[in-house]
Amino acid sequence: IDHWAQVSGAAELAGLRGEEQAEARAGFLRSNHVIDILRSFPVKGLEPQTLLAGLRPLQPRLYSIASSQAATPDEVHLTVTKLQYTLHGESRAGVASSQLTERADPDTLMPVYVQSNPHFRLAEDDAPIIMIGAGTGVAPYRAFLQEREARGAQGKSWLFFGERNFHTDFLYQTEWQGFLKDGVLSRMNVAFSRDRAAKTYVQHRLMEQARDVYAWLEEGAHLYVCGDAANLAPDLHRTIGAIVQQEGGVGRAAADDYIGALQREHRYQIDVY
């Protein structure tokens, strides 16, 4: 905005500069992408370098690995859903997700790198695990269960999965069913928010199973949350607190202390985006 305010001379953009305009600027950027700014404040005779001078390098996209090296030693699997929405009457799509799902041919080579996440790791083989994910947030749990299957781990596992529609969005459905049949996955609860008039999310399924969830935590279970940072993570955090209050018979402060202890013990791990 600072650069284009200078190039275009637009007073509206100039008014968005400075620390004191941070909130207004953030609101403007949520509904105006680069192309929208160029259209709203056009500059005649623009040289390409002038445009590029105002752009930052494209930021990398991080995807959770959805496979275990023990199961597929020569491959790394990703779970990608195309981000698509409408803005200013036009269809917009995510840069990386649409590249992977639409524009790239099957044999296309792309640059990748591995970024380690020491704060989201599978627990010991005998530890119970509760895995909560919505949409593509289920990806690391596929890797967890593949790893446990390969290692013959005996720890209990419980998956809570949420998406929009059962028939089109039940990611890895047959694999979860196979894990259940083989005893690698002990329990599974699902929520499909658009299949009925009343929307049901993973936090509702979690609350329905509050007694057993708390019992697993008391047994030493590790709790994992993966998915949307803006809504899923805070909603689930509140739900977990409510479960501790309800089933533990304690107040909010004590429930916060309980959750804090889980975090310090690395038994409550979050991977959100």
Side-chain angles (χ1 to χ4, degrees):
I1 286 179
D2 185 63
H3 176 75
W4 205 249
Q6 296 177 24
V7 172
S8 66
E12 182 179 344
L13 293 180
L16 293 172
R17 294 186 293 180
E19 292 184 10
E20 67 280 1
Q21 296 300 322
E23 186 174 343
R25 186 165 58 250
F28 178 82
L29 288 173
R30 277 194 292 271
S31 57
N32 291 278
H33 295 173
V34 171
I35 187 63
D36 303 310
I37 296 174
L38 297 182
R39 287 170 174 169
S40 299
F41 309 99
V43 175
K44 293 182 178 180
L46 179 67
E47 293 292 332
Q49 192 56 42
T50 303
L51 170 62
L52 293 178
L55 301 179
R56 294 180 298 177
L58 185 65
Q59 298 300 296
R61 268 56 171 179
L62 302 179
Y63 291 94
S64 299
I65 293 177
S67 58
S68 164
Q69 196 170 15
T72 57
D74 299 321
E75 300 176 359
V76 170
H77 297 178
L78 303 179
T79 306
V80 181
T81 293
K82 180 185 174 184
L83 175 64
Q84 190 163 15
Y85 54 97
T86 300
L87 183 62
H88 298 304
E90 291 183 343
S91 179
R92 308 286 176 95
V95 175
S97 62
S98 60
Q99 175 73 9
L100 288 166
T101 58
E102 286 192 345
R103 292 192 293 273
D105 294 324
D107 293 328
T108 299
L109 294 178
M110 297 184 184
V112 298
Y113 66 94
V114 176
Q115 178 165 301
S116 178
N117 185 353
H119 304 294
F120 199 85
R121 295 292 179 88
L122 178 60
E124 299 81 6
D125 287 355
D126 59 346
I129 56 175
I130 300 173
M131 305 167 288
I132 310 169
T136 56
V138 80
Y141 307 138
R142 180 176 182 261
F144 282 3
L145 294 182
Q146 286 184 354
E147 180 72 13
R148 282 203 155 182
E149 181 178 48
R151 293 163 62 133
Q154 298 301 308
K156 297 189 298 182
S157 58
W158 191 351
L159 174 65
F160 288 87
F161 170 65
E163 249 291 4
R164 295 173 65 89
N165 301 107
F166 172 84
H167 290 293
T168 56
D169 304 319
F170 198 165
L171 305 178
Y172 304 118
Q173 177 186 1
T174 56
E175 293 191 34
W176 306 130
Q177 292 170 333
F179 285 135
L180 282 169
K181 180 181 178 181
D182 295 338
V184 179
L185 180 61
S186 308
R187 299 175 65 167
M188 179 170 66
N189 291 86
V190 296
F192 296 99
S193 60
R194 301 302 190 272
D195 280 351
R196 298 180 180 179
K199 295 180 181 178
T200 303
Y201 299 104
V202 284
Q203 54 265 37
H204 298 130
R205 294 289 183 248
L206 204 66
M207 203 68 207
E208 291 169 0
Q209 303 295 327
R211 179 178 297 179
D212 287 351
V213 168
Y214 184 72
W216 277 48
L217 291 176
E218 287 290 276
E219 293 173 14
H222 289 238
L223 184 66
Y224 299 90
V225 173
C226 185
D228 171 48
N231 299 304
L232 178 72
D235 286 348
L236 283 173
H237 192 83
R238 286 190 291 269
T239 300
I240 294 163
I243 288 173
V244 174
Q245 286 184 253
Q246 173 183 302
E247 300 302 322
V250 298
R252 181 173 179 177
D256 288 343
D257 289 342
Y258 187 98
I259 293 174
L262 293 178
Q263 292 172 320
R264 289 191 298 274
E265 296 167 6
H266 305 292
R267 289 175 50 211
Y268 179 17
Q269 302 183 42
I270 299 174
D271 183 16
V272 295
Y273 40 85

